[in-house]
Amino acid sequence: MADKGGHSGGPGRAPEAGRPDKVRNVALVGHSGAGKTTLVEALLAETGVIQRPGRIEDGTTVSDFDDVEMRQQRSVNLALAPLTYGGVKVNLIDTPGYADFVGDLRAGLRAADAALFVISAVDGIDGLTRQLWEECAAVGMPRAVVITKVDQQRGDFDDVVMTCQDVFGEGVAPIYFPISSGDGLQGLIGLLSQRCFDYSGGERVERDPDPRFLDQIAEQRAALIEGIIQESEDETLMDRYLAGEEIDVKALIQDLETAVARGSFYPVLATAVPHGAAPGPVVGMQELLEVITQAFPSPLEHAVPTVTDIDGGDPRQVRCDPDGPLVAEVVKTTSDPYVGRISLVRVFSGTLRPDTVVHVSGHGLEDRGHEDHDVDERVGALSSPLGKHQRPVSACVAGDICAIAKLSRAETGDTLSDPGSPVVMEPWTMPDPLLPVAIRARSKADEDKLSQALGRLVAEDPTLRLENNAETRQLVLWCMGEAHADVLIDRLKARYGVEVERVDLRIPLRETFGGTAKGLGRHVKQSGGHGQYGICHIEVEPLASGEGFEFVDKIVGGVIPRQFIPSVEKGIRQQMARGVAAGYPLVDIRVTLYDGKAHSVDSSDMAFQTAGALALKDAAAKVPILLLEPVDEVSVLVADEYVGQVMSDLTSRRGRVLGSESVPGGRTMIKAEVPQLEIVRYAIDLRSMSQGTGTFSRTFLRYEPLPSHLADKVAASG
């Protein structure tokens, strides 16, 4: 591609886009360690946004500015890094590469119009990257591949290209390839231009390629041209090419750009950013910027998610029009104890301006602790984030991304719209958090601050689900994985000054009768004044699993007055809630009240409630009490190569495998019934077994008797 040049956007000055066609929103995705953050630093330095690239090891990069990121030396948050190249504003969206932080990754894809897959020439492709490619393919998102670390000794550009073509399928083709000399990486050769871009002197110099590369250029160029022509809208082009006609390079570049923007062709580029004190030039930044600004689509070419009225109704499409009605979405929320809440917003329609009133709508995440809300709020100052720095901007047009401070009710995923005609955007897909982590405040002072701090974390992170389990009396954070939980606990301490400690998760068990028994409840007290008198005889028998509680009244002759029969039932129900053996709720029994006695003066509602409870405890002492454990139906989706290992593991967890079925893409869906006690940490274990590619879902099925050896352990620990 031709270099359109034009470095601009100096430090301290935020680039602004006057219209959507001058914006490119690009999400950088790939596994942790592939070099996304380092690549962002190099691109910012190349365009003059920063004077020199920062280093992850030093905690000086623009993207990884959070304290947790600097300590862990990896990205855990989505970060925005705007730059300008050739008169086009590029919003680089650096996303985390670790599976635990897939929420921010999905948010980045939502805000983007194209995805840049960053793959290490040393490490190749991992399972998460494959899944992301499939997700992007499902929605037709334009993609390109940049292979990093081609200068490293173990880096193999050609091998990774072949792997990409094998994994990602047709349409993947390099448009540059790296060349080396005895001194290391020398530069790149453009296959369409047939020119060498030599970086060996520290600056990019264009020249003719060495004759030793001509055969390689001819072979790879022919494959590239055939791939481009197959995507061309000019149906005569292939015939002309096969007839030996030399196709104009400008026409090929135009067809390539069209195919990339359409999401049917995926160019592969090579880059190198010397690590630390390692010698060598920074290679491939201009070539990458040319692809981003010329081949990736503008927001005008990318469909806007559908919207509906806040009260429902038929979905409708909106256009990316700066003069249209305001429709924007909060793609990331951060809370600072001093600055307050900062909302990163992608504007899809209309123009967002400071000091205007917008409608904030949040719907559909009640199960994760996010209340539905509809409220009007006034927008304050707008800014363009560059890492932790907020640089003021005058407006944000459709297609662009900006930050808004102090929208007090806005949460990640919320829609901002015109108060006169408020709408809600179709939400993006968010995975379920399936790792439960029970916590408690370390001190009374921490307990007082914990609720507010957790509320802020929930507002930021839609992949976090907060559960206050009334039965086990535990506070549970449902997380994406161990690293996610560690970051949340770290933030509670570092950001909000709240210290918590993990505790063992309690699984809500149940009790039931192991046989039929009769019980006597006798509550007779005389204390000189008004006494208490209630006697009842009951028979208790077990019911089938899931049948609950049945109360049968067989009182005849008025031995218990009618007004006190409900009192007996109430007392029994209260005792069932407290349990009769290990303190767990009693379920699945039928209680028959068949006899009793009352006193004309001393009988009362409370006396018969107490008698009912005592009768149940008396019956329980005469038969075995079984502990019941909850069993979930689990659906596990894994690559075919891991099916045997996953099935064996489920069986070892006392699970019953019900069957499996093939799923397109070389995967299998396994159905099983597994006790909840055995899958507390399954989110971690499955990821380890399947190299990060396995996913699962779980739904409560029923309660079943706990094996006796485990029941004894529970009773002993209780």
Side-chain angles (χ1 to χ4, degrees):
M1 291 188 176
D3 180 12
K4 294 186 179 181
H7 296 181
S8 61
R13 183 165 60 88
E16 293 193 44
R19 56 183 204 259
D21 65 322
K22 293 297 183 181
V23 177
R24 301 292 184 272
N25 297 307
V26 182
L28 282 75
V29 300
H31 66 79
S32 187
K36 299 183 296 298
T37 299
T38 300
L39 185 61
V40 168
E41 291 293 306
L43 290 169
L44 292 174
E46 177 71 23
T47 53
V49 177
I50 57 177
Q51 292 184 346
R52 67 179 67 178
R55 282 167 36 95
I56 293 172
E57 298 83 352
D58 300 334
T60 55
T61 64
V62 168
S63 301
D64 292 350
F65 59 88
D66 189 286
D67 289 342
V68 175
E69 293 174 315
M70 288 190 280
R71 282 195 298 275
Q72 297 188 1
Q73 295 190 4
R74 67 177 174 189
S75 300
V76 302
N77 296 310
L78 173 155
L80 185 70
L83 59 86
T84 304
Y85 185 83
V88 175
K89 180 184 179 184
V90 178
N91 289 315
L92 297 174
I93 304 168
D94 188 11
T95 67
Y98 197 64
D100 278 22
F101 310 108
V102 69
D104 270 35
L105 191 151
R106 297 270 177 89
L109 290 174
R110 175 68 160 215
D113 300 305
L116 187 64
F117 278 74
V118 181
I119 298 172
S120 165
V122 176
D123 302 318
I125 301 173
D126 72 336
L128 180 62
T129 304
R130 297 182 187 209
Q131 289 182 347
L132 287 172
W133 186 274
E134 292 174 6
E135 286 185 28
C136 290
V139 297
M141 176 168 278
R143 284 149 280 163
V145 176
V146 56
I147 298 176
T148 60
K149 306 179 184 180
V150 296
D151 57 330
Q152 295 193 17
Q153 189 172 4
R154 294 188 299 115
D156 191 330
F157 177 81
D158 294 333
D159 183 63
V160 174
V161 168
M162 291 177 62
T163 304
C164 288
Q165 291 171 334
D166 180 53
V167 172
F168 299 153
E170 296 181 359
V172 177
I175 57 175
Y176 295 93
F177 69 84
I179 54 172
S180 302
S181 63
D183 297 327
L185 183 65
Q186 187 176 4
L188 303 172
I189 290 180
L191 292 174
L192 290 180
S193 65
Q194 302 182 83
R195 302 290 290 167
C196 175
F197 302 99
D198 192 337
Y199 287 86
S200 58
E203 295 289 333
R204 183 181 192 251
V205 177
E206 184 178 342
R207 60 173 175 80
D208 291 330
D210 292 344
R212 60 194 172 103
F213 295 117
L214 293 181
D215 288 344
Q216 185 178 355
I217 293 172
E219 180 183 351
Q220 294 194 25
R221 187 173 191 267
L224 174 62
I225 290 175
E226 288 182 16
I228 294 172
I229 288 175
Q230 287 177 357
E231 300 297 332
S232 174
E233 296 177 353
D234 185 348
E235 297 179 358
T236 68
L237 207 56
M238 181 62 80
D239 293 336
R240 288 158 48 199
Y241 174 70
L242 293 175
E245 181 179 333
E246 184 68 28
I247 306 299
D248 181 49
V249 172
K250 289 184 178 179
L252 289 172
I253 290 175
Q254 187 174 359
D255 282 337
L256 183 148
E257 293 172 353
T258 301
V260 172
R262 200 166 52 210
S264 57
F265 189 82
Y266 320 105
V268 180
L269 300 94
T271 64
V273 180
H275 182 76
V282 176
V283 174
M285 297 306 115
Q286 287 195 37
E287 290 79 7
L288 178 55
L289 286 164
E290 289 165 15
V291 170
I292 289 173
T293 54
Q294 298 174 40
F296 277 171
S298 76
L300 293 171
E301 302 168 81
H302 195 228
V304 176
T306 57
V307 302
T308 58
D309 295 333
I310 58 173
D311 297 325
D314 294 332
R316 63 179 187 272
Q317 207 74 37
V318 296
R319 292 171 47 245
C320 179
D321 179 4
D323 299 321
L326 177 67
V327 179
E329 188 169 42
V330 179
V331 294
K332 175 70 177 174
T333 307
T334 55
S335 296
D336 186 279
Y338 305 106
V339 178
R341 190 170 293 187
I342 298 174
S343 304
L344 188 67
V345 173
R346 161 74 192 259
V347 180
F348 287 96
S349 172
T351 299
L352 190 61
R353 292 185 171 85
D355 201 36
T356 56
V357 176
V358 300
H359 185 82
V360 180
S361 300
H363 295 262
L365 287 174
E366 292 173 284
D367 63 324
R368 301 195 184 185
H370 303 257
E371 293 182 3
D372 281 359
H373 50 275
D374 288 289
V375 63
D376 290 349
E377 291 200 67
R378 184 173 295 277
V379 173
L382 304 183
S383 59
S384 176
L386 181 65
K388 62 183 176 182
H389 301 291
Q390 302 291 334
R391 302 166 299 169
V393 293
S394 59
C396 188
V397 300
D400 206 355
I401 301 173
C402 71
I404 308 171
K406 298 180 180 177
L407 279 181
S408 60
R409 289 301 304 276
E411 300 181 358
T412 301
D414 281 3
T415 304
L416 309 183
S417 58
D418 188 334
S421 55
V423 296
V424 177
M425 296 196 79
E426 178 185 32
W428 67 80
T429 303
M430 200 60 72
D432 290 324
L434 292 169
L435 177 69
V437 177
I439 62 170
R440 67 182 173 205
R442 187 158 288 178
S443 67
K444 181 64 170 67
D446 292 318
E447 190 173 334
D448 293 340
K449 297 184 290 183
L450 182 57
S451 178
Q452 184 179 16
L454 286 174
R456 290 181 175 177
L457 287 183
V458 168
E460 294 178 22
D461 187 353
T463 62
L464 166 64
R465 179 160 64 87
L466 183 63
E467 178 189 4
N468 226 323
N469 193 307
E471 185 173 331
T472 63
R473 295 184 294 281
Q474 283 191 315
L475 184 61
V476 181
L477 304 179
W478 286 85
C479 308
M480 297 302 300
E482 195 68 40
H484 188 206
D486 288 343
V487 166
L488 292 169
I489 292 171
D490 189 298
R491 280 187 179 149
L492 284 172
K493 180 179 178 180
R495 192 183 291 177
Y496 303 111
V498 179
E499 291 197 57
V500 300
E501 55 190 13
R502 297 189 185 199
V503 294
D504 290 338
L505 183 77
R506 292 198 290 267
I507 299 298
L509 303 181
R510 295 287 186 268
E511 300 174 357
T512 195
F513 271 52
T516 300
K518 292 184 177 181
L520 166 63
R522 187 175 188 276
H523 184 61
V524 178
K525 287 188 177 181
Q526 188 66 44
S527 56
H530 186 70
Q532 299 180 52
Y533 191 101
I535 298 175
C536 63
H537 295 265
I538 63 171
E539 183 179 55
V540 185
E541 54 189 312
L543 296 176
S545 176
E547 291 195 15
F549 171 62
E550 183 181 341
F551 182 78
V552 180
D553 173 15
K554 285 193 175 180
I555 293 297
V556 294
V559 292
I560 297 178
R562 304 309 303 170
Q563 69 267 28
F564 295 137
I565 290 174
S567 303
V568 175
E569 181 181 355
K570 185 176 181 181
I572 290 170
R573 287 183 179 273
Q574 289 173 344
Q575 188 60 52
M576 288 176 65
R578 293 190 294 266
V580 292
Y584 295 105
L586 185 67
V587 297
D588 298 333
I589 57 171
R590 177 187 293 120
V591 176
T592 301
L593 176 63
Y594 65 88
D595 199 1
K597 289 183 181 180
H599 189 278
S600 59
V601 175
D602 292 341
S603 289
S604 65
D605 171 57
M606 283 305 302
F608 275 99
Q609 282 190 42
T610 304
L614 292 172
L616 185 64
K617 292 172 71 175
D618 182 54
K622 299 172 182 176
V623 293
I625 299 299
L626 305 180
L627 281 182
L628 304 177
E629 62 177 337
V631 175
D632 284 354
E633 182 177 70
V634 177
S635 300
V636 187
L637 182 63
V638 291
D640 291 344
E641 60 197 281
Y642 303 117
V643 169
Q645 185 180 355
V646 169
M647 283 187 172
S648 297
D649 177 75
L650 290 170
T651 303
S652 73
R653 296 171 186 269
R654 298 189 289 120
R656 291 185 291 274
V657 176
L658 304 178
S660 62
E661 59 180 275
S662 295
V663 175
R667 292 176 296 177
T668 297
M669 178 70 77
I670 303 167
K671 299 276 190 180
E673 296 176 357
V674 190
Q676 284 186 13
L677 284 167
E678 304 290 344
I679 54 172
V680 170
R681 294 179 61 82
Y682 193 60
I684 299 170
D685 299 336
L686 177 62
R687 185 178 297 165
S688 176
M689 271 186 290
S690 63
Q691 304 296 312
T693 62
T695 60
F696 78 104
S697 62
R698 53 188 282 188
T699 54
F700 171 73
L701 195 59
R702 62 179 173 270
Y703 277 88
E704 291 185 355
L706 187 66
S708 57
H709 68 285
L710 294 177
D712 293 341
K713 284 184 181 180
V714 171
S717 64

